[in-house]
Amino acid sequence: MQSIKHLVLGITGGIAAYKAAELTRLFVKQGISVQVVMTEAACQFITPVTMQALSGKQVYTQMWDAGIANGMPHIELSREADAILVAPASADFMAKLVQGKADDLLSTLCLARDCPLLVAPAMNKQMWEHPATQRNAQQLIADGVTLLGPDSGVQACGETGMGRMLEPEALLADLLATFQQQPLPLAGKRVLITAGPTVEQIDPVRAITNFSSGKMGYSIAEAALEMGAEVTLVSGPTALQAPAAAKTISVKSAQEMLNAVMAHVNNQDIFIGVAAVADYRPASPSDQKIKKSDSTLNIELVPNEDILAKVAALPKPPFCVGFAAESENLLEYAEQKRKRKNIPLIAANIATEALGADESTLTLLDNTGSHVLAKTSKLKLARGLLSHIAKMINN
Ligand code: C5P
């Protein structure tokens, strides 16, 4: 079977219709485009507006929708679809499918399709166990329809038994398994990334900063989004465009970066400190421009707090990843840094090669040893690093 990129999600009338919202969110995160079609009864349980917001596409509910190109929605909507999933599928809708009825948009679409049809039944246990529904379920299987669920458990009516719709995560897993498709490696994971330099003010017009371009951190943000993650990017000043799908917080100083990280670290699964955080800041930045004189100027510097070490020391830290840019003894210094900051993984590179460059080499150090990612673009390195992280957290 070909992989699934375009899905028509049919929603029929049942209390489980509310789960279609979460289901749509999961599909979209998986990179699947979702065209929602709702029956009239489904609109009594969840609004087309909600489904439109989550799918990012107009929701269709009627055969006679003027918005459809050639006035033949049953053809037009299924043309692009790799599959139709009806979730929840009511007992009535299953009966309609068995009979080949086509008296509304969704049933017509199912009859006119030339792609696989998957059905997730959801109903009260008596309705599910009724011989008529059981007959219909068997007939659908005989007709080549894939039945996903139902599950057993407590039902909306208060009874316990078979008939609950499968949970959205299980439906996604079943759909992907049907198409022999791997879930995205970071689907559903939250990733917090620091990127770029920090700027430590000396006076209103002068500052201490470094040559970090932010390219590595932004590439990691982009690759994490591609892999299905929800990304928060805390960035020092850069000339780069942040990926639109990331939540981006712009900061200047190390102190601001620390505050932004601590405000967003809750519920994160992964924290990747890529920023070149200034180790020191002026002890007392001047409110006024410091006047030039002939004598030596000494600026007292005090250390900045280590953001990565602080996150790693939280009672329930996310999976923490650091970067080590060294000019000598790369692996030795990087490993010392990994142990000192108490983090499971560090990515080491030669500072002079990596800073501002488009390509670089990365060596990943974890407690199994070192893994080299050969010289390539920062986006490809980011994908390699994130695949390594996904393997570590899934083990
Ligand atoms: O100790 P060093 O600065 O070399 O460590 C680099 C790693 O620590 C990077 O991942 C960097 O983002 C992080 N770091 C930090 N806060 C600091 C200094 C470094 O998060 N104040």
Side-chain angles (χ1 to χ4, degrees), residues 291-326:
K291 299 308 286 176
K292 182 162 65 176
S293 77
D294 289 337
S295 54
T296 309
L297 173 67
N298 288 311
I299 299 171
E300 193 190 353
L301 300 176
V302 291
N304 277 325
E305 213 169 335
D306 190 315
I307 303 170
L308 181 56
K310 191 163 171 148
V311 171
L314 288 172
K316 275 191 184 166
F319 183 90
C320 287
V321 182
F323 267 73
E326 304 292 345

PDB file of all heavy atoms in Angstrom, residues 291-326:
ATOM      1  N   LYS A 291      32.370  57.356  29.144  1.00  0.00           N
ATOM      2  CA  LYS A 291      33.150  58.331  28.384  1.00  0.00           C
ATOM      3  C   LYS A 291      34.560  57.825  28.158  1.00  0.00           C
ATOM      4  O   LYS A 291      35.154  57.156  29.016  1.00  0.00           O
ATOM      5  CB  LYS A 291      33.205  59.687  29.122  1.00  0.00           C
ATOM      6  CG  LYS A 291      31.859  60.337  29.341  1.00  0.00           C
ATOM      7  CD  LYS A 291      31.016  60.478  28.081  1.00  0.00           C
ATOM      8  CE  LYS A 291      31.498  61.575  27.145  1.00  0.00           C
ATOM      9  NZ  LYS A 291      30.663  61.574  25.879  1.00  0.00           N
ATOM     10  N   LYS A 292      35.089  58.150  26.990  1.00  0.00           N
ATOM     11  CA  LYS A 292      36.463  57.761  26.654  1.00  0.00           C
ATOM     12  C   LYS A 292      37.438  58.555  27.511  1.00  0.00           C
ATOM     13  O   LYS A 292      37.217  59.724  27.810  1.00  0.00           O
ATOM     14  CB  LYS A 292      36.682  58.073  25.169  1.00  0.00           C
ATOM     15  CG  LYS A 292      38.039  57.686  24.668  1.00  0.00           C
ATOM     16  CD  LYS A 292      38.056  57.611  23.154  1.00  0.00           C
ATOM     17  CE  LYS A 292      37.814  58.972  22.507  1.00  0.00           C
ATOM     18  NZ  LYS A 292      37.935  58.920  21.032  1.00  0.00           N
ATOM     19  N   SER A 293      38.549  57.893  27.953  1.00  0.00           N
ATOM     20  CA  SER A 293      39.624  58.623  28.640  1.00  0.00           C
ATOM     21  C   SER A 293      40.944  57.981  28.243  1.00  0.00           C
ATOM     22  O   SER A 293      40.959  56.964  27.551  1.00  0.00           O
ATOM     23  CB  SER A 293      39.408  58.574  30.153  1.00  0.00           C
ATOM     24  OG  SER A 293      39.804  57.303  30.629  1.00  0.00           O
ATOM     25  N   ASP A 294      42.040  58.521  28.697  1.00  0.00           N
ATOM     26  CA  ASP A 294      43.352  57.967  28.320  1.00  0.00           C
ATOM     27  C   ASP A 294      43.753  56.807  29.207  1.00  0.00           C
ATOM     28  O   ASP A 294      44.705  56.098  28.920  1.00  0.00           O
ATOM     29  CB  ASP A 294      44.430  59.070  28.393  1.00  0.00           C
ATOM     30  CG  ASP A 294      44.203  60.059  27.250  1.00  0.00           C
ATOM     31  OD1 ASP A 294      43.573  59.650  26.248  1.00  0.00           O
ATOM     32  OD2 ASP A 294      44.628  61.220  27.378  1.00  0.00           O
ATOM     33  N   SER A 295      43.079  56.622  30.324  1.00  0.00           N
ATOM     34  CA  SER A 295      43.507  55.560  31.241  1.00  0.00           C
ATOM     35  C   SER A 295      42.877  54.215  30.853  1.00  0.00           C
ATOM     36  O   SER A 295      41.930  54.153  30.071  1.00  0.00           O
ATOM     37  CB  SER A 295      43.145  55.937  32.682  1.00  0.00           C
ATOM     38  OG  SER A 295      41.786  56.222  32.737  1.00  0.00           O
ATOM     39  N   THR A 296      43.427  53.156  31.429  1.00  0.00           N
ATOM     40  CA  THR A 296      42.920  51.801  31.180  1.00  0.00           C
ATOM     41  C   THR A 296      41.507  51.684  31.733  1.00  0.00           C
ATOM     42  O   THR A 296      41.205  52.231  32.793  1.00  0.00           O
ATOM     43  CB  THR A 296      43.817  50.781  31.905  1.00  0.00           C
ATOM     44  OG1 THR A 296      45.150  51.061  31.548  1.00  0.00           O
ATOM     45  CG2 THR A 296      43.439  49.351  31.555  1.00  0.00           C
ATOM     46  N   LEU A 297      40.690  50.968  30.992  1.00  0.00           N
ATOM     47  CA  LEU A 297      39.326  50.761  31.504  1.00  0.00           C
ATOM     48  C   LEU A 297      39.183  49.307  31.929  1.00  0.00           C
ATOM     49  O   LEU A 297      39.443  48.393  31.144  1.00  0.00           O
ATOM     50  CB  LEU A 297      38.305  51.078  30.396  1.00  0.00           C
ATOM     51  CG  LEU A 297      36.856  50.757  30.725  1.00  0.00           C
ATOM     52  CD1 LEU A 297      36.328  51.665  31.830  1.00  0.00           C
ATOM     53  CD2 LEU A 297      35.987  50.887  29.478  1.00  0.00           C
ATOM     54  N   ASN A 298      38.821  49.069  33.140  1.00  0.00           N
ATOM     55  CA  ASN A 298      38.566  47.697  33.608  1.00  0.00           C
ATOM     56  C   ASN A 298      37.072  47.500  33.763  1.00  0.00           C
ATOM     57  O   ASN A 298      36.391  48.312  34.380  1.00  0.00           O
ATOM     58  CB  ASN A 298      39.239  47.463  34.967  1.00  0.00           C
ATOM     59  CG  ASN A 298      40.735  47.379  34.813  1.00  0.00           C
ATOM     60  OD1 ASN A 298      41.229  46.652  33.952  1.00  0.00           O
ATOM     61  ND2 ASN A 298      41.452  48.162  35.615  1.00  0.00           N
ATOM     62  N   ILE A 299      36.586  46.447  33.155  1.00  0.00           N
ATOM     63  CA  ILE A 299      35.160  46.126  33.344  1.00  0.00           C
ATOM     64  C   ILE A 299      35.105  44.851  34.167  1.00  0.00           C
ATOM     65  O   ILE A 299      35.646  43.808  33.749  1.00  0.00           O
ATOM     66  CB  ILE A 299      34.455  45.927  31.992  1.00  0.00           C
ATOM     67  CG1 ILE A 299      34.527  47.221  31.172  1.00  0.00           C
ATOM     68  CG2 ILE A 299      33.019  45.491  32.182  1.00  0.00           C
ATOM     69  CD1 ILE A 299      34.045  47.071  29.748  1.00  0.00           C
ATOM     70  N   GLU A 300      34.487  44.920  35.299  1.00  0.00           N
ATOM     71  CA  GLU A 300      34.392  43.720  36.130  1.00  0.00           C
ATOM     72  C   GLU A 300      33.311  42.796  35.561  1.00  0.00           C
ATOM     73  O   GLU A 300      32.202  43.236  35.254  1.00  0.00           O
ATOM     74  CB  GLU A 300      34.046  44.101  37.574  1.00  0.00           C
ATOM     75  CG  GLU A 300      34.242  42.929  38.507  1.00  0.00           C
ATOM     76  CD  GLU A 300      33.671  43.178  39.915  1.00  0.00           C
ATOM     77  OE1 GLU A 300      33.235  44.312  40.189  1.00  0.00           O
ATOM     78  OE2 GLU A 300      33.657  42.215  40.692  1.00  0.00           O
ATOM     79  N   LEU A 301      33.663  41.534  35.398  1.00  0.00           N
ATOM     80  CA  LEU A 301      32.711  40.565  34.865  1.00  0.00           C
ATOM     81  C   LEU A 301      32.331  39.550  35.936  1.00  0.00           C
ATOM     82  O   LEU A 301      33.192  39.116  36.698  1.00  0.00           O
ATOM     83  CB  LEU A 301      33.320  39.835  33.663  1.00  0.00           C
ATOM     84  CG  LEU A 301      33.736  40.685  32.467  1.00  0.00           C
ATOM     85  CD1 LEU A 301      34.405  39.822  31.392  1.00  0.00           C
ATOM     86  CD2 LEU A 301      32.538  41.413  31.863  1.00  0.00           C
ATOM     87  N   VAL A 302      31.061  39.196  35.954  1.00  0.00           N
ATOM     88  CA  VAL A 302      30.620  38.147  36.893  1.00  0.00           C
ATOM     89  C   VAL A 302      30.048  36.988  36.077  1.00  0.00           C
ATOM     90  O   VAL A 302      29.514  37.203  34.978  1.00  0.00           O
ATOM     91  CB  VAL A 302      29.557  38.675  37.897  1.00  0.00           C
ATOM     92  CG1 VAL A 302      30.166  39.663  38.878  1.00  0.00           C
ATOM     93  CG2 VAL A 302      28.375  39.290  37.155  1.00  0.00           C
ATOM     94  N   PRO A 303      30.149  35.756  36.590  1.00  0.00           N
ATOM     95  CA  PRO A 303      29.689  34.621  35.787  1.00  0.00           C
ATOM     96  C   PRO A 303      28.163  34.587  35.624  1.00  0.00           C
ATOM     97  O   PRO A 303      27.437  34.973  36.553  1.00  0.00           O
ATOM     98  CB  PRO A 303      30.156  33.398  36.584  1.00  0.00           C
ATOM     99  CG  PRO A 303      30.727  33.891  37.858  1.00  0.00           C
ATOM    100  CD  PRO A 303      30.758  35.383  37.856  1.00  0.00           C
ATOM    101  N   ASN A 304      27.743  34.136  34.455  1.00  0.00           N
ATOM    102  CA  ASN A 304      26.313  33.889  34.220  1.00  0.00           C
ATOM    103  C   ASN A 304      25.976  32.488  34.711  1.00  0.00           C
ATOM    104  O   ASN A 304      26.838  31.604  34.746  1.00  0.00           O
ATOM    105  CB  ASN A 304      25.999  33.978  32.729  1.00  0.00           C
ATOM    106  CG  ASN A 304      25.777  35.403  32.272  1.00  0.00           C
ATOM    107  OD1 ASN A 304      25.235  36.218  33.026  1.00  0.00           O
ATOM    108  ND2 ASN A 304      26.215  35.717  31.070  1.00  0.00           N
ATOM    109  N   GLU A 305      24.729  32.313  35.045  1.00  0.00           N
ATOM    110  CA  GLU A 305      24.307  30.979  35.470  1.00  0.00           C
ATOM    111  C   GLU A 305      24.304  30.036  34.266  1.00  0.00           C
ATOM    112  O   GLU A 305      24.013  30.474  33.146  1.00  0.00           O
ATOM    113  CB  GLU A 305      22.895  31.061  36.069  1.00  0.00           C
ATOM    114  CG  GLU A 305      22.717  30.069  37.170  1.00  0.00           C
ATOM    115  CD  GLU A 305      21.440  30.308  37.964  1.00  0.00           C
ATOM    116  OE1 GLU A 305      20.939  31.449  37.999  1.00  0.00           O
ATOM    117  OE2 GLU A 305      20.958  29.330  38.534  1.00  0.00           O
ATOM    118  N   ASP A 306      24.619  28.770  34.497  1.00  0.00           N
ATOM    119  CA  ASP A 306      24.626  27.778  33.409  1.00  0.00           C
ATOM    120  C   ASP A 306      23.193  27.265  33.208  1.00  0.00           C
ATOM    121  O   ASP A 306      22.659  26.525  34.045  1.00  0.00           O
ATOM    122  CB  ASP A 306      25.580  26.632  33.770  1.00  0.00           C
ATOM    123  CG  ASP A 306      25.808  25.705  32.591  1.00  0.00           C
ATOM    124  OD1 ASP A 306      24.820  25.343  31.922  1.00  0.00           O
ATOM    125  OD2 ASP A 306      26.975  25.352  32.348  1.00  0.00           O
ATOM    126  N   ILE A 307      22.568  27.669  32.110  1.00  0.00           N
ATOM    127  CA  ILE A 307      21.146  27.349  31.867  1.00  0.00           C
ATOM    128  C   ILE A 307      20.959  25.837  31.754  1.00  0.00           C
ATOM    129  O   ILE A 307      20.072  25.241  32.371  1.00  0.00           O
ATOM    130  CB  ILE A 307      20.651  28.053  30.579  1.00  0.00           C
ATOM    131  CG1 ILE A 307      20.853  29.560  30.685  1.00  0.00           C
ATOM    132  CG2 ILE A 307      19.184  27.715  30.308  1.00  0.00           C
ATOM    133  CD1 ILE A 307      20.613  30.333  29.388  1.00  0.00           C
ATOM    134  N   LEU A 308      21.824  25.219  30.958  1.00  0.00           N
ATOM    135  CA  LEU A 308      21.707  23.781  30.711  1.00  0.00           C
ATOM    136  C   LEU A 308      21.857  22.989  32.017  1.00  0.00           C
ATOM    137  O   LEU A 308      21.056  22.085  32.307  1.00  0.00           O
ATOM    138  CB  LEU A 308      22.788  23.378  29.692  1.00  0.00           C
ATOM    139  CG  LEU A 308      22.853  21.936  29.257  1.00  0.00           C
ATOM    140  CD1 LEU A 308      21.527  21.459  28.690  1.00  0.00           C
ATOM    141  CD2 LEU A 308      23.952  21.754  28.200  1.00  0.00           C
ATOM    142  N   ALA A 309      22.878  23.343  32.800  1.00  0.00           N
ATOM    143  CA  ALA A 309      23.105  22.617  34.059  1.00  0.00           C
ATOM    144  C   ALA A 309      21.915  22.808  34.994  1.00  0.00           C
ATOM    145  O   ALA A 309      21.515  21.890  35.712  1.00  0.00           O
ATOM    146  CB  ALA A 309      24.401  23.104  34.707  1.00  0.00           C
ATOM    147  N   LYS A 310      21.340  24.022  34.968  1.00  0.00           N
ATOM    148  CA  LYS A 310      20.202  24.304  35.847  1.00  0.00           C
ATOM    149  C   LYS A 310      18.986  23.468  35.432  1.00  0.00           C
ATOM    150  O   LYS A 310      18.270  22.929  36.286  1.00  0.00           O
ATOM    151  CB  LYS A 310      19.875  25.800  35.784  1.00  0.00           C
ATOM    152  CG  LYS A 310      18.893  26.211  36.851  1.00  0.00           C
ATOM    153  CD  LYS A 310      18.874  27.692  37.053  1.00  0.00           C
ATOM    154  CE  LYS A 310      17.701  28.017  37.963  1.00  0.00           C
ATOM    155  NZ  LYS A 310      17.909  29.126  38.813  1.00  0.00           N
ATOM    156  N   VAL A 311      18.753  23.357  34.127  1.00  0.00           N
ATOM    157  CA  VAL A 311      17.620  22.547  33.647  1.00  0.00           C
ATOM    158  C   VAL A 311      17.863  21.080  33.991  1.00  0.00           C
ATOM    159  O   VAL A 311      16.960  20.369  34.468  1.00  0.00           O
ATOM    160  CB  VAL A 311      17.401  22.740  32.128  1.00  0.00           C
ATOM    161  CG1 VAL A 311      16.376  21.745  31.599  1.00  0.00           C
ATOM    162  CG2 VAL A 311      16.948  24.165  31.832  1.00  0.00           C
ATOM    163  N   ALA A 312      19.111  20.615  33.776  1.00  0.00           N
ATOM    164  CA  ALA A 312      19.430  19.206  34.047  1.00  0.00           C
ATOM    165  C   ALA A 312      19.272  18.870  35.535  1.00  0.00           C
ATOM    166  O   ALA A 312      19.038  17.711  35.880  1.00  0.00           O
ATOM    167  CB  ALA A 312      20.841  18.888  33.575  1.00  0.00           C
ATOM    168  N   ALA A 313      19.397  19.889  36.401  1.00  0.00           N
ATOM    169  CA  ALA A 313      19.304  19.642  37.846  1.00  0.00           C
ATOM    170  C   ALA A 313      17.875  19.753  38.371  1.00  0.00           C
ATOM    171  O   ALA A 313      17.635  19.595  39.573  1.00  0.00           O
ATOM    172  CB  ALA A 313      20.216  20.629  38.584  1.00  0.00           C
ATOM    173  N   LEU A 314      16.911  20.014  37.498  1.00  0.00           N
ATOM    174  CA  LEU A 314      15.506  20.087  37.952  1.00  0.00           C
ATOM    175  C   LEU A 314      15.083  18.717  38.491  1.00  0.00           C
ATOM    176  O   LEU A 314      15.611  17.690  38.061  1.00  0.00           O
ATOM    177  CB  LEU A 314      14.594  20.474  36.778  1.00  0.00           C
ATOM    178  CG  LEU A 314      14.685  21.929  36.283  1.00  0.00           C
ATOM    179  CD1 LEU A 314      13.877  22.099  34.992  1.00  0.00           C
ATOM    180  CD2 LEU A 314      14.184  22.887  37.347  1.00  0.00           C
ATOM    181  N   PRO A 315      14.090  18.682  39.387  1.00  0.00           N
ATOM    182  CA  PRO A 315      13.661  17.383  39.926  1.00  0.00           C
ATOM    183  C   PRO A 315      13.206  16.413  38.836  1.00  0.00           C
ATOM    184  O   PRO A 315      13.477  15.234  38.909  1.00  0.00           O
ATOM    185  CB  PRO A 315      12.496  17.748  40.853  1.00  0.00           C
ATOM    186  CG  PRO A 315      12.590  19.209  41.092  1.00  0.00           C
ATOM    187  CD  PRO A 315      13.391  19.817  39.982  1.00  0.00           C
ATOM    188  N   LYS A 316      12.490  16.915  37.833  1.00  0.00           N
ATOM    189  CA  LYS A 316      12.065  16.038  36.725  1.00  0.00           C
ATOM    190  C   LYS A 316      12.540  16.659  35.417  1.00  0.00           C
ATOM    191  O   LYS A 316      11.743  17.252  34.674  1.00  0.00           O
ATOM    192  CB  LYS A 316      10.540  15.932  36.695  1.00  0.00           C
ATOM    193  CG  LYS A 316       9.981  14.887  37.620  1.00  0.00           C
ATOM    194  CD  LYS A 316       8.522  14.710  37.272  1.00  0.00           C
ATOM    195  CE  LYS A 316       7.828  13.752  38.209  1.00  0.00           C
ATOM    196  NZ  LYS A 316       6.382  13.865  38.053  1.00  0.00           N
ATOM    197  N   PRO A 317      13.824  16.554  35.109  1.00  0.00           N
ATOM    198  CA  PRO A 317      14.329  17.275  33.927  1.00  0.00           C
ATOM    199  C   PRO A 317      13.876  16.630  32.630  1.00  0.00           C
ATOM    200  O   PRO A 317      13.650  15.418  32.576  1.00  0.00           O
ATOM    201  CB  PRO A 317      15.847  17.131  34.071  1.00  0.00           C
ATOM    202  CG  PRO A 317      16.050  15.878  34.847  1.00  0.00           C
ATOM    203  CD  PRO A 317      14.852  15.739  35.750  1.00  0.00           C
ATOM    204  N   PRO A 318      13.744  17.452  31.559  1.00  0.00           N
ATOM    205  CA  PRO A 318      13.555  16.851  30.240  1.00  0.00           C
ATOM    206  C   PRO A 318      14.850  16.143  29.844  1.00  0.00           C
ATOM    207  O   PRO A 318      15.862  16.285  30.544  1.00  0.00           O
ATOM    208  CB  PRO A 318      13.294  18.060  29.339  1.00  0.00           C
ATOM    209  CG  PRO A 318      13.851  19.236  30.072  1.00  0.00           C
ATOM    210  CD  PRO A 318      13.824  18.913  31.534  1.00  0.00           C
ATOM    211  N   PHE A 319      14.837  15.419  28.734  1.00  0.00           N
ATOM    212  CA  PHE A 319      16.059  14.803  28.218  1.00  0.00           C
ATOM    213  C   PHE A 319      16.956  15.955  27.745  1.00  0.00           C
ATOM    214  O   PHE A 319      16.590  16.699  26.836  1.00  0.00           O
ATOM    215  CB  PHE A 319      15.708  13.869  27.058  1.00  0.00           C
ATOM    216  CG  PHE A 319      16.883  13.130  26.494  1.00  0.00           C
ATOM    217  CD1 PHE A 319      17.251  11.896  26.999  1.00  0.00           C
ATOM    218  CD2 PHE A 319      17.625  13.676  25.442  1.00  0.00           C
ATOM    219  CE1 PHE A 319      18.348  11.213  26.478  1.00  0.00           C
ATOM    220  CE2 PHE A 319      18.711  12.998  24.920  1.00  0.00           C
ATOM    221  CZ  PHE A 319      19.069  11.771  25.439  1.00  0.00           C
ATOM    222  N   CYS A 320      18.111  16.133  28.404  1.00  0.00           N
ATOM    223  CA  CYS A 320      18.940  17.328  28.153  1.00  0.00           C
ATOM    224  C   CYS A 320      20.098  17.040  27.209  1.00  0.00           C
ATOM    225  O   CYS A 320      20.815  16.055  27.376  1.00  0.00           O
ATOM    226  CB  CYS A 320      19.497  17.863  29.464  1.00  0.00           C
ATOM    227  SG  CYS A 320      18.247  18.665  30.471  1.00  0.00           S
ATOM    228  N   VAL A 321      20.258  17.930  26.248  1.00  0.00           N
ATOM    229  CA  VAL A 321      21.337  17.785  25.269  1.00  0.00           C
ATOM    230  C   VAL A 321      22.128  19.086  25.225  1.00  0.00           C
ATOM    231  O   VAL A 321      21.546  20.174  25.156  1.00  0.00           O
ATOM    232  CB  VAL A 321      20.747  17.501  23.862  1.00  0.00           C
ATOM    233  CG1 VAL A 321      21.864  17.294  22.847  1.00  0.00           C
ATOM    234  CG2 VAL A 321      19.819  16.293  23.903  1.00  0.00           C
ATOM    235  N   GLY A 322      23.455  18.971  25.276  1.00  0.00           N
ATOM    236  CA  GLY A 322      24.300  20.161  25.227  1.00  0.00           C
ATOM    237  C   GLY A 322      25.157  20.192  23.984  1.00  0.00           C
ATOM    238  O   GLY A 322      25.234  19.213  23.233  1.00  0.00           O
ATOM    239  N   PHE A 323      25.763  21.319  23.751  1.00  0.00           N
ATOM    240  CA  PHE A 323      26.734  21.464  22.673  1.00  0.00           C
ATOM    241  C   PHE A 323      28.068  21.857  23.291  1.00  0.00           C
ATOM    242  O   PHE A 323      28.098  22.585  24.287  1.00  0.00           O
ATOM    243  CB  PHE A 323      26.282  22.549  21.680  1.00  0.00           C
ATOM    244  CG  PHE A 323      25.505  21.960  20.530  1.00  0.00           C
ATOM    245  CD1 PHE A 323      24.215  21.507  20.721  1.00  0.00           C
ATOM    246  CD2 PHE A 323      26.096  21.830  19.276  1.00  0.00           C
ATOM    247  CE1 PHE A 323      23.509  20.940  19.676  1.00  0.00           C
ATOM    248  CE2 PHE A 323      25.390  21.269  18.222  1.00  0.00           C
ATOM    249  CZ  PHE A 323      24.100  20.825  18.421  1.00  0.00           C
ATOM    250  N   ALA A 324      29.136  21.364  22.717  1.00  0.00           N
ATOM    251  CA  ALA A 324      30.460  21.756  23.183  1.00  0.00           C
ATOM    252  C   ALA A 324      31.269  22.201  21.975  1.00  0.00           C
ATOM    253  O   ALA A 324      31.538  21.404  21.089  1.00  0.00           O
ATOM    254  CB  ALA A 324      31.145  20.585  23.872  1.00  0.00           C
ATOM    255  N   ALA A 325      31.550  23.487  21.920  1.00  0.00           N
ATOM    256  CA  ALA A 325      32.404  23.994  20.842  1.00  0.00           C
ATOM    257  C   ALA A 325      33.795  24.187  21.454  1.00  0.00           C
ATOM    258  O   ALA A 325      33.962  24.998  22.368  1.00  0.00           O
ATOM    259  CB  ALA A 325      31.849  25.303  20.325  1.00  0.00           C
ATOM    260  N   GLU A 326      34.747  23.418  20.993  1.00  0.00           N
ATOM    261  CA  GLU A 326      36.096  23.466  21.570  1.00  0.00           C
ATOM    262  C   GLU A 326      37.101  23.791  20.472  1.00  0.00           C
ATOM    263  O   GLU A 326      36.858  23.515  19.293  1.00  0.00           O
ATOM    264  CB  GLU A 326      36.460  22.100  22.190  1.00  0.00           C
ATOM    265  CG  GLU A 326      35.473  21.595  23.232  1.00  0.00           C
ATOM    266  CD  GLU A 326      35.457  22.422  24.495  1.00  0.00           C
ATOM    267  OE1 GLU A 326      36.389  23.225  24.707  1.00  0.00           O
ATOM    268  OE2 GLU A 326      34.489  22.309  25.264  1.00  0.00           O
TER     269      GLU A 326
END
